[in-house]
Amino acid sequence: MPGLVIFGTRWNIGSDDLIVPGLTLFLLNTVSIIVCSATYPWDLEYADIRNVSKNSTPGIRLRNSSDLGQRACIELGMELIIGHIVIFSAACLLELFIALMSLRGTIMESQLRKPAIPLLYIRFSLYLVELLWSVLSGLWLFRYYSLCETKQSEIIVFTMIIHGVEITGLLVSMYALYDPAGRKWLKMKKHQMNLEEMSNSKNITHPKRCRSGSTRNWRQRKVAMAYQKRWRHRCSLLCLCCCISKSERNKDSLTAIAKLLSEFFGDLDVVVTDILAGLILLRRKQKKKRLSIINKHKDATYDFLSGVRVTPDTEFVSLSDARDQAWFKVIIRYMRYASAAYGWPLYMVMHPKCGCCQIVSHSRCCKQGELQPQGDNCCACHLAAAQHVIEMDNDTEILYASFDSDVEKTAFFVALDYLTKSIVITIRGTLSTQDIITDLKAEEDFIPISPLKEDWIGHGGIIQAATYVKKKLEDEDLIAKAQAADPDQGTKDFKLVVVGHSLGAGTAAILSVLLRETYPNLECYSFAPPGGLLSSSLADYTKEFVTSFVLGKDLVPRIGLSQLEMLRKDIMEVLTESKEPKWKILASSLLCCQGAPKTVIEPRDNIKDIEAEEQVKGGPSVTHTLLYPPGKIIHLVRRHITDESQKYETKWRKIRGAPKPVYQAIWADKADFDEVLISPVMVQDHMPQKILYALEMVALLHEKHVDVNSMHQK
């Protein structure tokens, strides 16, 4: 950081990222030198040349084309091989010096690595020499390959392969790392620096131009348009690979996503490895903060479970009596519905050994059944897997299933649950590329209710998905059909329950808001809902009928546009304050040797503290509205009964054979998910099978009558 500037443009690689490629090429060229030097019989070839000269008279040599060709073959081959060895040697030295230059300084101290730039220009020139020498070697092979009976041909073929691999790797890397907007971005930064210098100097030559931001705004718009075009191109390639239709709706969605991504990343002079290093430093900072709070006993905090403060006022979910335990088992049953919506892909993950056989045995290939699911294959594998996950028996009946998905259109199914006396609308989470596009359409929008409430806003893409499901329910009259399915069983009085996971959880929550006026007794269970979903007032309103469940350090319930803005700000802060080189930060993470950084910024508790600080400074706050997860929130936390020094080291726990963690459920507030917790399990905790397992472990813990409160006593 910042991005490397060569050939008059900025590239998506830092000058401290040249260590690994430099050392890799150094080793490759060193091995090539050793192979060429060790396998070539130098003395034998010189003897062959002398023998050809001594045993052939000048007249015979002219007439004997075989001897003449062999001598030319040997002489030219030796020159080519020596030239290859010289090229390999020069490349080794350059790559070693480039790698050594890249080791210098911290992430922000790019000036110390500036000597690597002229070395890169020399190395690029050497690539041209390699290409030229490889062409000459190819011509030699074309002319003398059949005449030479020595090892020269094999050695030259080997050197050409090595050069080809290096040049191909260079071209692929340049294509991957090229920044189409890099030249415009560089001009904008230089212009901004000139304006700052002119404004700070006493003699301003162009006062009107400095005071008006027109020129600067024009350049910024050009850069923003270039980055937006770049992100649009990437999204279009993704859609092309995934066979997404090029409808006007999808094109508009891609344009909105490209604009959002370009605005979010366009003004950052960082590369991918900088972000990785920032996440590692941020995780260290968060861990140090938690240890500091525990040691100081701040706010009566005596422990952290999954990054959540545990104090005497922490309210654990009460599962002491049979009624509470029965309620929690119903929750587990609804989580099975949410998992079933993913069809056969998730079922194969949950049952890797025998899942395929079970699905095939219960599929109905090319057979007509009572229920014809939309968007399923001819064998109805999605439906068969869903029935397995729910563990269907006489207590459950799926009435309608649609596995079709498109942008802002998600899959769902409607089932009758006779055990809980409910009509269950289950909405699938993110599974397809179209679902990802729906997730990324995160700009705020109003909830489409009448009359419109200005403070009721939410995730734009998920609002459209919920509107689509509502329209399907109304067009197909699915709820009325479910109520009239079995009057003898009392289906007319069954309650309406909406469930979902991830994208499905957010869609279920917003759909419940849209349906509640018609069905006031509606219930919604939202598993791992997106964090940037509902405004504060709407999230408070949904507490009456929505219950959300979050596992551990799940990333998704902690992510919204405002949270991502503050995450970006925190990453830039730790990168600026870090006194460690990037290679050491990344290497320590790979080797599980995460020591404390030399300089650690004391982190803020949440976004509200950050906003207060910005207001005191007079600076800008987050530009996007702060959105929250829906309803009442139950946080499933884990406690590891291990040594404190190994508390967060998952790999070490596996090596040491430590016992499995204990899962507990606590009531949480929507503000508890303002901060993204960096952890190796932050993606794993979002998986539906992990949430289902955690819910089952919480129920099992209370069935064994374990006193959960005693675990927290010091």
Side-chain angles (χ1 to χ4, degrees):
M1 178 184 177
L4 185 65
V5 178
I6 52 174
F7 301 119
T9 187
R10 175 186 177 273
W11 297 75
N12 294 320
I13 187 174
S15 55
D16 50 359
D17 293 328
L18 302 174
I19 302 171
V20 174
L23 293 178
T24 302
L25 291 174
F26 171 78
L27 294 176
L28 179 62
N29 289 321
T30 302
V31 171
S32 301
I33 295 172
I34 295 173
V35 171
C36 292
S37 302
T39 59
Y40 190 80
W42 301 98
D43 296 337
L44 178 62
E45 299 303 338
Y46 277 115
D48 289 344
I49 295 174
R50 289 195 300 269
N51 291 335
V52 172
S53 300
K54 291 178 181 179
N55 297 331
S56 302
T57 62
I60 296 175
R61 192 184 313 143
L62 290 173
R63 290 192 300 269
N64 194 337
S65 59
S66 176
D67 290 343
L68 183 61
Q70 186 178 7
R71 181 173 180 178
C73 169
I74 295 172
E75 290 177 346
L76 291 176
M78 288 179 58
E79 293 175 358
L80 288 174
I81 292 175
I82 292 173
H84 283 298
I85 293 176
V86 171
I87 292 173
F88 285 138
S89 301
C92 281
L93 292 176
L94 286 172
E95 287 149 2
L96 181 60
F97 286 135
I98 290 173
L100 292 176
M101 291 296 104
S102 300
L103 290 171
R104 301 172 63 179
T106 62
I107 296 176
M108 301 297 294
E109 294 173 346
S110 59
Q111 291 296 324
L112 297 178
R113 298 184 290 273
K114 202 169 183 179
I117 295 180
L119 295 177
L120 285 174
Y121 285 117
I122 298 174
R123 184 65 183 96
F124 287 131
S125 302
L126 188 60
Y127 275 117
L128 297 178
V129 177
E130 287 186 38
L131 181 61
L132 175 62
W133 209 252
S134 297
V135 172
L136 294 176
S137 299
L139 294 176
W140 180 89
L141 287 173
F142 178 77
R143 181 173 182 181
Y144 295 109
Y145 185 79
S146 60
L147 297 176
C148 294
E149 299 177 357
T150 64
K151 293 184 178 180
Q152 289 176 313
S153 300
E154 297 176 358
I155 296 174
I156 290 178
V157 170
F158 169 77
T159 56
M160 290 179 64
I161 292 175
I162 296 298
H163 290 314
V165 169
E166 291 184 357
I167 294 174
T168 303
L170 173 68
L171 295 177
V172 172
S173 300
M174 292 181 68
Y175 175 78
L177 300 174
Y178 177 68
D179 185 358
R183 193 177 298 273
K184 296 183 179 65
W185 190 92
L186 191 62
K187 290 181 179 179
M188 182 192 72
K189 286 298 180 183
K190 288 182 179 179
H191 180 72
Q192 290 177 350
M193 292 175 63
N194 292 335
L195 288 180
E196 291 178 0
E197 292 178 359
M198 293 171 64
S199 61
N200 293 332
S201 62
K202 295 182 180 179
N203 299 323
I204 301 179
T205 56
H206 302 285
K208 293 183 179 179
R209 186 178 182 181
C210 292
R211 290 171 185 170
S212 65
S214 58
T215 307
R216 177 182 176 184
N217 292 336
W218 172 73
R219 292 182 181 272
Q220 286 179 331
R221 286 195 297 270
K222 286 189 66 176
V223 174
M225 291 176 62
Y227 276 117
Q228 184 174 342
K229 182 179 179 181
R230 173 190 172 195
W231 280 107
R232 175 63 188 269
H233 178 66
R234 290 178 174 177
C235 294
S236 299
L237 286 178
L238 178 64
C239 294
L240 180 63
C241 295
C242 299
C243 301
I244 297 178
S245 62
K246 296 182 179 180
S247 63
E248 290 298 326
R249 182 190 188 94
N250 292 352
K251 289 181 180 180
D252 293 341
S253 299
L254 293 178
T255 301
I257 293 171
K259 182 179 179 181
L260 178 64
L261 294 175
S262 62
E263 290 176 353
F264 191 81
F265 294 105
D267 60 339
L268 290 181
D269 190 9
V270 295
V271 295
V272 175
T273 51
D274 294 332
I275 297 176
L276 293 177
L279 292 174
I280 294 170
L281 293 174
L282 190 58
R283 186 190 179 210
R284 293 179 181 178
K285 180 180 72 173
Q286 292 174 350
K287 291 172 65 175
K288 187 170 183 178
K289 171 192 173 183
R290 292 195 289 265
L291 292 175
S292 175
I293 291 175
I294 292 174
N295 294 333
K296 295 178 181 179
H297 209 61
K298 183 179 179 182
D299 298 330
T301 302
Y302 57 83
D303 199 359
F304 276 87
L305 297 179
S306 300
V308 178
R309 296 172 185 257
V310 179
T311 68
D313 297 330
T314 300
E315 184 181 358
F316 288 83
V317 177
S318 175
L319 298 177
S320 56
D321 55 27
R323 182 178 179 181
D324 294 335
Q325 293 180 11
W327 169 76
F328 206 79
K329 289 182 178 180
V330 171
I331 301 300
I332 297 175
R333 186 175 180 86
Y334 288 144
M335 181 59 211
R336 288 192 175 276
Y337 278 95
S339 302
Y342 287 96
W344 66 263
L346 180 61
Y347 189 79
M348 294 294 295
V349 172
M350 297 172 65
H351 305 84
K353 295 183 179 179
C354 58
C356 182
C357 297
Q358 293 181 358
I359 292 176
V360 171
S361 62
H362 287 79
S363 63
R364 52 184 195 199
C365 292
C366 303
K367 296 180 181 179
Q368 296 295 326
E370 295 181 2
L371 174 62
Q372 296 298 324
Q374 300 179 10
D376 208 342
N377 52 36
C378 61
C379 296
C381 291
H382 281 306
L383 182 62
Q387 293 171 344
H388 270 291
V389 174
I390 300 174
E391 298 178 354
M392 282 187 61
D393 47 27
N394 295 329
D395 295 329
T396 308
E397 180 184 0
I398 297 179
L399 302 178
Y400 175 88
S402 172
F403 296 100
D404 282 326
S405 66
D406 200 350
V407 178
E408 298 176 349
K409 297 179 180 180
T410 185
F412 72 99
F413 68 85
V414 179
L416 281 173
D417 192 317
Y418 296 100
L419 184 64
T420 61
K421 297 188 182 301
S422 57
I423 301 170
V424 184
I425 301 173
T426 306
I427 305 174
R428 194 188 71 188
T430 302
L431 185 64
S432 63
T433 308
Q434 293 92 329
D435 295 332
I436 295 176
I437 295 176
T438 303
D439 288 325
L440 292 177
K441 288 196 63 176
E443 289 290 350
E444 303 91 355
D445 199 358
F446 293 102
I447 302 295
I449 59 174
S450 181
L452 192 68
K453 296 187 178 181
E454 295 184 356
D455 58 340
W456 281 22
I457 60 176
H459 186 292
I462 299 180
I463 289 176
Q464 295 301 320
T467 304
Y468 161 76
V469 176
K470 180 176 181 290
K471 186 175 185 302
K472 289 287 288 185
L473 292 174
E474 294 173 348
D475 293 345
E476 302 284 344
D477 201 17
L478 296 177
I479 298 178
K481 290 180 180 179
Q483 291 175 336
D486 194 346
D488 295 336
Q489 295 287 340
T491 54
K492 183 179 180 180
D493 299 324
F494 278 14
K495 63 182 178 181
L496 185 63
V497 177
V498 187
V499 301
H501 169 266
S502 189
L503 169 63
T507 307
I510 296 179
L511 176 64
S512 300
V513 174
L514 301 179
L515 294 177
R516 191 159 189 262
E517 183 177 355
T518 307
Y519 305 95
N521 296 325
L522 171 146
E523 296 178 5
C524 176
Y525 296 95
S526 175
F527 301 95
L533 185 66
L534 304 176
S535 60
S536 180
S537 58
L538 182 55
D540 291 336
Y541 167 75
T542 58
K543 290 181 179 180
E544 301 177 12
F545 54 94
V546 178
T547 305
S548 296
F549 296 83
V550 178
L551 172 61
K553 299 180 181 179
D554 187 354
L555 176 68
V556 174
R558 303 173 185 275
I559 278 192
L561 293 181
S562 54
Q563 289 90 340
L564 285 175
E565 285 183 350
M566 302 322 302
L567 176 63
R568 180 180 64 175
K569 180 183 177 68
D570 288 338
I571 289 176
M572 296 301 296
E573 285 183 354
V574 294
L575 290 177
T576 304
E577 297 296 327
S578 174
K579 301 302 180 184
E580 292 180 277
K582 187 195 299 182
W583 66 268
K584 186 177 292 186
I585 297 171
L586 297 177
S588 66
S589 175
L590 293 175
L591 297 175
C592 301
C593 302
Q594 300 177 10
K598 297 179 181 179
T599 303
V600 178
I601 308 170
E602 187 66 23
R604 281 69 55 92
D605 287 342
N606 51 36
I607 289 182
K608 291 182 178 179
D609 295 338
I610 298 173
E611 290 179 340
E613 179 181 329
E614 296 290 350
Q615 291 176 1
V616 171
K617 292 180 180 180
S621 181
V622 291
T623 58
H624 292 89
T625 305
L626 184 58
L627 303 180
Y628 298 93
K632 298 175 293 185
I633 303 175
I634 294 179
H635 196 172
L636 306 174
V637 297
R638 61 173 68 87
R639 178 177 178 82
H640 301 286
I641 314 300
T642 60
D643 189 345
E644 285 295 324
S645 61
Q646 304 294 339
K647 183 174 181 180
Y648 299 100
E649 301 296 337
T650 304
K651 294 182 179 179
W652 281 112
R653 285 199 302 273
K654 293 180 180 179
I655 295 174
R656 294 168 60 244
K660 293 183 179 180
V662 175
Y663 288 90
Q664 301 163 239
I666 63 176
W667 290 103
D669 185 74
K670 63 179 187 293
D672 295 337
F673 301 93
D674 287 342
E675 181 184 17
V676 176
L677 298 180
I678 309 301
S679 171
V681 298
M682 61 185 183
V683 176
Q684 179 182 343
D685 282 348
H686 186 66
M687 297 296 104
Q689 68 271 23
K690 297 296 182 181
I691 299 176
L692 179 60
Y693 173 79
L695 289 169
E696 291 174 344
M697 289 301 102
V698 171
L700 182 63
L701 179 70
H702 288 274
E703 286 179 1
K704 293 182 178 180
H705 304 289
V706 178
D707 186 3
V708 295
N709 292 324
S710 64
M711 296 181 183
H712 304 286
Q713 308 227 344
K714 291 279 183 179

